[in-house]
Amino acid sequence: MPVILRIAFRNIWEHRAKSLIIGSFIALGVIILLIGNSLLDSSKRGVQKGFIENFTGDVMIYGPSATAVSVFGEGGSETGEIPVIPDFDKVQAHLATLSDVKSSASMSVAYGLLTLDAAEEIQDVVSSEEEPTGPPITIVFGVDGDRYFSMFPSIELEEGSYLKPGEPGIMLTRGQIEKLEKRFKKQVHVGDKVLVTGFGTQNFKIRELPVKGIYKRSLSSSLPDFMSFADIDTARVLGGLTVGANEASQISDTEKQLLSIGNTDDLFSDDMVDSVQTSTVNLDAIAQSLSSSAERERLNQADTGAWHFILIRLNHPALAGLFIQDLNKWFAAEGIDAHATNWQGAAGTYGKFSDIVRIVFIIAILLVSVVAVIIMMNTLVISVIERTSEIGTMRALGAHRKTIKRLFLAETLSLTAVFGLIGAVLSMIIVAVLNALHISAGDNGLLVMLFGGDVLHLSPALPSFVSSVILVFIVGYLAHLYPVSLALKIQPVKAIQAD
């Protein structure tokens, strides 16, 4: 083997130009792979950290649904209704017994429009010469203030105070405040009241809420600026989680049997009525019942037992997969129609972005690898043609086919190792320079998500480095196969005569 290596290095030196061409492609491939993988790894870690510490926690529990449900309300039933967690108190009690649970917080979500005053909005639309912009849309997170904000300390106040349990109010971002001010041409301060119009599968609900605080996030997130926080009862009402909605869904077995009848004529059969009883109708009692708003107000009250999600932070986030698996097994054993998912499932569409970018990058790398194989292969073929007499002489002197194979393999892998190391060193230098430049993503949400933060910071991971090196060696190995097959077809006699 040492003899093969000495011959290989001699041939590399004697064909310096071609070796330099092949080596340059190898080094360039290593640079692209390492920097690209560093960017993707940094992006994934940044997105993961941003979601876990801003929105989802390590694990999220949601209610019965055939499709996955995100913390932003994506998924749910066919009508778009977000499921409520069944046996909520039992689930909470079980979580309290699990040692790996660091903290947990429950929440519900609703969609709404932010306005200041309906009359002012109509007047503003009529008097404005410019085409008015629509009222800001918001995703309302209904939270239990103390537990939620202690679990997500990245939510920081600019003005005002955090929501307190049992106290109606809303927390908005600076961007939402500016949109309201631009829309209604009126200053909005902490303590002022805003109207939130909730829209969902049930109906529209309007609530007037005081602005308790203006918040920001210390950890960057590429999500649009449309999340707000409200007290949990307000979010329940806006989302249709009321006593009336809950009672309306509870029907008797007899009523279910009537609803399942396929032929409406069966409803009016002869035995439908056994006997007819007469009674006196009290019109005054009916009028009093209709005029009273007590029952209507009761039915419109928030269902205090309804929660859409439970968010969990773990003591050992790396074991989230096992925790989720055990939790789902417990749900099945207890007959509770609930599901647990990780941060990426809880993030929904937004959490899939890094995977989509990674797939696109892998496809691009595969295309580059194919091009590199073709270029390296062509260069090696030219080298084989120029060395026809040399290979023929070696065969005439008794060199076996395996010797020729090992020689070309040694040359290719030696080039790959040397120039791969050069590419790795250059890529580390480029990474250090890019990190020192502190390239900012600015207000570009796509760059923020791609960078994994406000500033580009690349941190190559060892698995990515190893996989890049392995891929480069695979490319080199594939590139040498065809030239070797040509070399083995050379007949010693013809090769010597050709010289």
Side-chain angles (χ1 to χ4, degrees):
M1 191 65 181
V3 176
I4 295 292
L5 288 177
R6 285 200 298 270
I7 296 174
F9 279 109
R10 187 206 64 185
N11 290 334
I12 291 173
W13 181 252
E14 289 184 355
H15 301 85
R16 292 185 291 274
K18 296 180 180 61
S19 299
L20 185 61
I21 293 174
I22 297 173
S24 299
F25 279 99
I26 294 173
L28 181 61
V30 171
I31 292 173
I32 294 174
L33 283 172
L34 288 180
I35 295 179
N37 282 328
S38 298
L39 178 61
L40 292 178
D41 291 337
S42 301
S43 173
K44 185 174 183 178
R45 284 194 296 269
V47 171
Q48 179 177 353
K49 182 178 181 181
F51 275 102
I52 289 176
E53 300 192 17
N54 280 286
F55 301 105
T56 65
D58 299 303
V59 178
M60 185 187 80
I61 299 174
Y62 61 96
S65 177
T67 59
V69 181
S70 80
V71 74
F72 306 106
E74 298 173 290
S77 65
E78 294 180 356
T79 60
E81 185 176 355
I82 305 170
V84 174
I85 298 175
D87 296 320
F88 176 80
D89 292 335
K90 186 176 182 179
V91 175
Q92 281 281 59
H94 177 68
L95 292 177
T97 64
L98 301 179
S99 59
D100 200 30
V101 175
K102 180 179 180 180
S103 59
S104 65
S106 308
M107 62 167 285
S108 292
V109 64
Y111 300 99
L113 298 175
L114 294 173
T115 58
L116 294 182
D117 183 85
E120 288 184 12
E121 181 177 356
I122 294 173
Q123 182 179 359
D124 176 67
V125 172
V126 172
S127 61
S128 176
E129 295 181 358
E130 299 178 358
E131 183 179 352
T133 58
I137 298 176
T138 181
I139 297 181
V140 182
F141 283 5
V143 299
D144 181 359
D146 290 342
R147 297 188 66 176
Y148 187 91
F149 295 117
S150 62
M151 181 172 165
F152 295 103
S154 60
I155 301 171
E156 298 180 351
L157 282 174
E158 289 187 2
E159 296 181 30
S161 61
Y162 290 104
L163 294 172
K164 297 178 182 178
E167 182 180 32
I170 191 169
M171 290 173 56
L172 303 173
T173 64
R174 180 65 63 185
Q176 290 171 322
I177 295 291
E178 292 175 353
K179 289 178 181 178
L180 283 171
E181 292 176 342
K182 181 179 179 181
R183 168 70 176 171
F184 297 97
K185 299 178 175 60
K186 180 180 178 181
Q187 295 292 318
V188 180
H189 305 283
V190 172
D192 293 343
K193 292 186 176 181
V194 297
L195 292 177
V196 185
T197 304
F199 53 90
T201 58
Q202 301 292 331
N203 49 27
F204 291 90
K205 301 284 186 180
I206 300 178
R207 287 293 182 270
E208 186 179 53
L209 299 171
V211 178
K212 291 294 184 180
I214 301 175
Y215 78 94
K216 65 178 182 179
R217 300 184 187 275
S218 60
L219 292 174
S220 173
S221 170
S222 60
L223 290 176
D225 190 23
F226 54 56
M227 266 69 70
S228 59
F229 295 100
D231 62 286
I232 179 58
D233 284 342
T234 295
R236 284 168 175 158
V237 172
L238 294 175
L241 301 179
T242 59
V243 174
N246 187 45
E247 289 184 356
S249 63
Q250 298 176 357
I251 58 178
S252 65
D253 293 338
T254 304
E255 292 169 329
K256 291 179 181 179
Q257 186 177 1
L258 287 174
L259 291 175
S260 64
I261 294 177
N263 187 1
T264 55
D265 293 336
D266 295 339
L267 292 172
F268 306 98
S269 59
D270 295 335
D271 58 349
M272 177 181 176
V273 179
D274 295 332
S275 62
V276 178
Q277 297 180 354
T278 60
S279 61
T280 303
V281 177
N282 190 335
L283 296 178
D284 293 335
I286 295 176
Q288 184 179 359
S289 176
L290 292 175
S291 63
S292 175
S293 61
E295 181 65 10
R296 183 171 65 252
E297 291 177 356
R298 185 187 74 83
L299 294 177
N300 284 325
Q301 289 179 352
D303 182 359
T304 55
W307 296 91
H308 286 146
F309 309 112
I310 299 177
L311 310 178
I312 304 169
R313 293 297 301 271
L314 301 177
N315 291 314
H316 304 92
L319 302 178
L322 293 175
F323 182 89
I324 291 170
Q325 184 178 358
D326 292 340
L327 198 56
N328 283 326
K329 287 181 179 178
W330 182 82
F331 288 147
E334 296 294 325
I336 299 175
D337 194 0
H339 310 275
T341 186
N342 61 8
W343 74 269
Q344 201 165 17
T349 303
Y350 300 104
K352 297 182 178 68
F353 177 81
S354 58
D355 288 340
I356 294 173
V357 174
R358 184 177 293 273
I359 291 172
V360 172
F361 179 76
I362 291 174
I363 293 174
I365 290 300
L366 290 176
L367 293 177
V368 172
S369 300
V370 171
V371 174
V373 167
I374 293 174
I375 294 175
M376 291 174 62
M377 183 176 64
N378 289 337
T379 307
L380 289 172
V381 167
I382 295 173
S383 177
V384 169
I385 294 173
E386 291 181 349
R387 294 162 59 185
T388 299
S389 60
E390 176 187 341
I391 296 171
T393 302
M394 292 177 63
R395 292 291 307 281
L397 293 175
H400 297 287
R401 289 176 175 267
K402 290 184 178 179
T403 303
I404 303 299
K405 287 182 179 179
R406 291 172 182 172
L407 177 60
F408 275 90
L409 181 60
E411 291 181 16
T412 305
L413 295 185
S414 298
L415 281 172
T416 302
V418 173
F419 284 93
L421 179 61
I422 294 173
V425 173
L426 290 176
S427 63
M428 294 299 103
I429 295 174
I430 294 173
V431 166
V433 171
L434 291 175
N435 288 339
L437 292 176
H438 298 289
I439 300 174
S440 175
D443 296 330
N444 191 317
L446 181 62
L447 287 181
V448 171
M449 184 170 283
L450 186 61
F451 289 179
D454 293 326
V455 179
L456 176 64
H457 181 76
L458 303 177
S459 52
L462 181 60
S464 296
F465 180 85
V466 173
S467 62
S468 300
V469 172
I470 292 174
L471 180 58
V472 170
F473 272 94
I474 291 175
V475 169
Y477 177 80
L478 294 176
H480 98 288
L481 292 178
Y482 180 65
V484 165
S485 66
L486 291 180
L488 295 178
K489 292 178 181 179
I490 297 176
Q491 298 297 324
V493 176
K494 292 184 178 180
I496 295 175
Q497 291 176 347
D499 188 46

